[in-house]
Amino acid sequence: MSILVLVGSVLLLLVLIAGARLNAFIALILVSLATGAAKEMQPEAIVKSIQNGIGSTLGGLIIIIGMGIILGAILAETGAMQQIAESLILRFGVRRAKLALTAAAFTVGLALFYNAGFVVLIPLVFSVAASTGLSLPYLGLAAASALSVTHGFLPPHPGPTTIAIMFKANIGKTLGLGLCVAVPTLFCAGVVFPEFIKNIRSAPPSGIVRVTRLKSGDLPPFILSILIALSPALLMEAAVLGDFLLPAGSPLLITLKFLGDPSISMIMAVALALVFLGVGCYPLNEARSRIGVLMDRSSESLGGGALIILVVAAGGAFKQVLTDSGIGKDVADLVGSSGFSPLFLGWLIATAVRVSVGSATLAGLTAAGIVQPLLAANPSVSPELMVLSIGAGSLMLSHVNDTGFWMFKEYFGLTVADTFRTWSAMETIVGIVGLGMVLLLNLVI
């Protein structure tokens, strides 16, 4: 019975999103209610389960997502992201433009969500293509693959961070292992694969790139820009290293763990950005008005990011209903006797949802809710690797139901067939290589 309810719930979710075109937040809440009712939960219990799921999910995540959006807005508005990207292009040289764009996009992707990072990097991709004569899809894949990899594998992005909280995984360790998965995956998808499609040409619409760029003299220093952009990751990794190198209870370890908490590290990064990019780069008489501009820009970005927060919250509600109704335990019992690796099953479920609904974040959250009981039933499975296996599946085979597919097609002026040959193929490589790296890590740690 539980399996039938689960299958019916997922199918209903697909119909509501893909067929009825409902917002993912509304669809997830409706499906959560329907799932609880189908399992004969009391109405009060269903409501309480949904509330608990939203609260437990957002309680550890709202600061991370909110501060992440603000940090990205400040880095973009002050030109810090532009400085990072242009400086890396300059250091790598035009002949290694693809590698430069990959490195720039990976750095930008650590601090910006996918859509924001894509828009920030598009003008750079166009300018490099114009100066080198290389095709736009060839260079665009190098940048897009890096943004996709960071979006799927690395905290503080919403998908991996939310799933890590669900699984009670160490976010710093998830980031460290995520880098081990992300780098070779990015090499395959962003460095090797573009060589096979370099002759595909494009016809981008005239005037599609209209992003205002600052003059070189108005940009903040490169070292300052990159240190602030990477500061959350550096603080989280310092806490992980401290666990290995410092004695328990030492004052330094306590300090590192405090600063390395994902919420605190994001707050610190925003504070550093405001002080050194908002005030430090301007005369005192301009600093106050500059802070006002940055806050206005941050408020606009928070408004745009509200949907992400709502979808994450609704994903937490669906997860909690699956758990409280007993579906999760029944699925875990069934899967436990199948002989398949929980890591592979997490990837497979995320892949199925991704292909069906398009959204990587939604695919990851749905898969996490379904496989969460597997971790309790299989204590030997690393929760951090489970986060990454689901992340790999959530990136698989992007096609016409994914906004990323259409963004890539329209910005670079490709046909639908060529978008499948470039974007969809790249995302599939990310998903397959990512799973391979997770299974490899599972053998050695």
Side-chain angles (χ1 to χ4, degrees), residues 369-442:
I370 294 172
V371 305
Q372 187 179 29
L374 292 177
L375 288 177
N378 296 270
S380 61
V381 176
S382 163
E384 291 81 16
L385 290 182
M386 184 65 91
V387 173
L388 299 176
S389 71
I390 290 175
S394 74
L395 297 173
M396 279 288 292
L397 196 59
S398 166
H399 60 95
V400 294
N401 61 359
D402 179 21
T403 56
F405 178 95
W406 296 106
M407 284 180 67
F408 194 86
K409 175 189 180 299
E410 296 303 322
Y411 268 100
F412 296 122
L414 299 172
T415 64
V416 170
D418 281 342
T419 309
F420 273 108
R421 291 172 59 197
T422 53
W423 167 262
S424 298
M426 179 272 291
E427 288 283 82
T428 303
I429 291 170
V430 169
I432 293 173
V433 176
L435 173 65
M437 290 304 304
V438 168
L439 296 178
L440 181 62
L441 284 173
N442 189 49

Side-chain angles (χ1 to χ4, degrees), residues 3 5 63 158 169-171 177 228 240 252-253 287 335 337 351 355 361:
I3 302 302
V5 172
I63 294 176
N170 182 294
I171 293 182
L177 292 173
I228 291 176
V240 173
L252 179 56
L253 179 58
V335 169
S337 61
T351 295
V355 171
T361 301

Side-chain angles (χ1 to χ4, degrees), residues 75-162:
L75 292 172
E77 180 68 22
T78 59
M81 283 304 176
Q82 180 183 337
Q83 174 68 281
I84 291 169
E86 292 181 354
S87 296
L88 287 173
I89 290 285
L90 182 63
R91 283 164 171 76
F92 275 84
V94 174
R95 288 190 302 173
R96 292 184 288 275
K98 181 183 63 176
L99 288 174
L101 279 171
T102 303
F106 190 79
T107 306
V108 169
L110 288 171
L112 292 184
F113 296 157
Y114 180 87
N115 289 351
F118 189 84
V119 172
V120 167
L121 287 170
I122 277 293
L124 187 65
V125 172
F126 273 73
S127 64
V128 172
S131 63
T132 62
L134 296 170
S135 77
L136 279 171
Y138 174 79
L139 295 173
L141 275 182
S145 60
L147 293 173
S148 181
V149 163
T150 56
H151 176 75
F153 294 133
L154 304 179
H157 283 269
T161 305
T162 306

Side-chain angles (χ1 to χ4, degrees), residues 251-343:
L252 179 56
L253 179 58
I254 293 172
T255 301
L256 288 176
K257 282 190 171 183
F258 173 74
L259 295 176
D261 178 86
S263 297
I264 298 300
S265 67
M266 294 305 302
I267 293 172
M268 291 294 297
V270 170
L272 291 171
L274 286 173
V275 170
F276 291 103
L277 297 177
V279 177
C281 292
Y282 295 90
L284 286 176
N285 60 336
E286 296 181 21
R288 183 176 177 181
S289 61
R290 187 60 183 167
I291 290 293
V293 170
L294 294 179
M295 289 298 95
D296 290 342
R297 181 69 181 89
S298 299
S299 298
E300 293 172 8
S301 297
L302 281 171
L307 181 58
I308 295 174
I309 296 172
L310 289 175
V311 171
V312 166
F318 184 44
K319 176 269 300 181
Q320 196 64 43
V321 169
L322 291 175
T323 300
D324 293 345
S325 66
I327 291 177
K329 184 180 182 302
D330 293 342
V331 171
D333 292 341
L334 178 66
V335 169
S337 61
S338 69
F340 287 110
S341 163
L343 295 173

Side-chain angles (χ1 to χ4, degrees), residues 105-249:
F106 190 79
T107 306
V108 169
L110 288 171
L112 292 184
F113 296 157
Y114 180 87
N115 289 351
F118 189 84
V119 172
V120 167
L121 287 170
I122 277 293
L124 187 65
V125 172
F126 273 73
S127 64
V128 172
S131 63
T132 62
L134 296 170
S135 77
L136 279 171
Y138 174 79
L139 295 173
L141 275 182
S145 60
L147 293 173
S148 181
V149 163
T150 56
H151 176 75
F153 294 133
L154 304 179
H157 283 269
T161 305
T162 306
I163 299 170
I165 290 172
M166 284 184 179
F167 292 167
K168 295 181 171 57
N170 182 294
I171 293 182
K173 187 177 179 182
T174 302
L175 176 59
L177 292 173
L179 288 169
C180 295
V181 172
V183 172
T185 300
L186 180 56
F187 177 78
C188 294
V191 178
V192 176
F193 174 64
E195 296 297 326
F196 294 92
I197 57 90
K198 64 193 309 180
N199 293 324
I200 292 180
R201 295 295 164 180
S202 61
S206 176
I208 193 170
V209 177
R210 296 176 179 173
V211 178
T212 303
R213 302 186 68 76
L214 301 177
K215 297 179 181 178
S216 297
D218 296 330
L219 298 176
F222 171 72
I223 294 297
L224 177 63
S225 299
I226 199 166
L227 282 177
I228 291 176
L230 297 180
S231 59
L234 294 174
L235 288 170
M236 283 187 275
E237 287 309 300
V240 173
L241 290 175
D243 265 333
F244 287 102
L245 302 177
L246 297 172

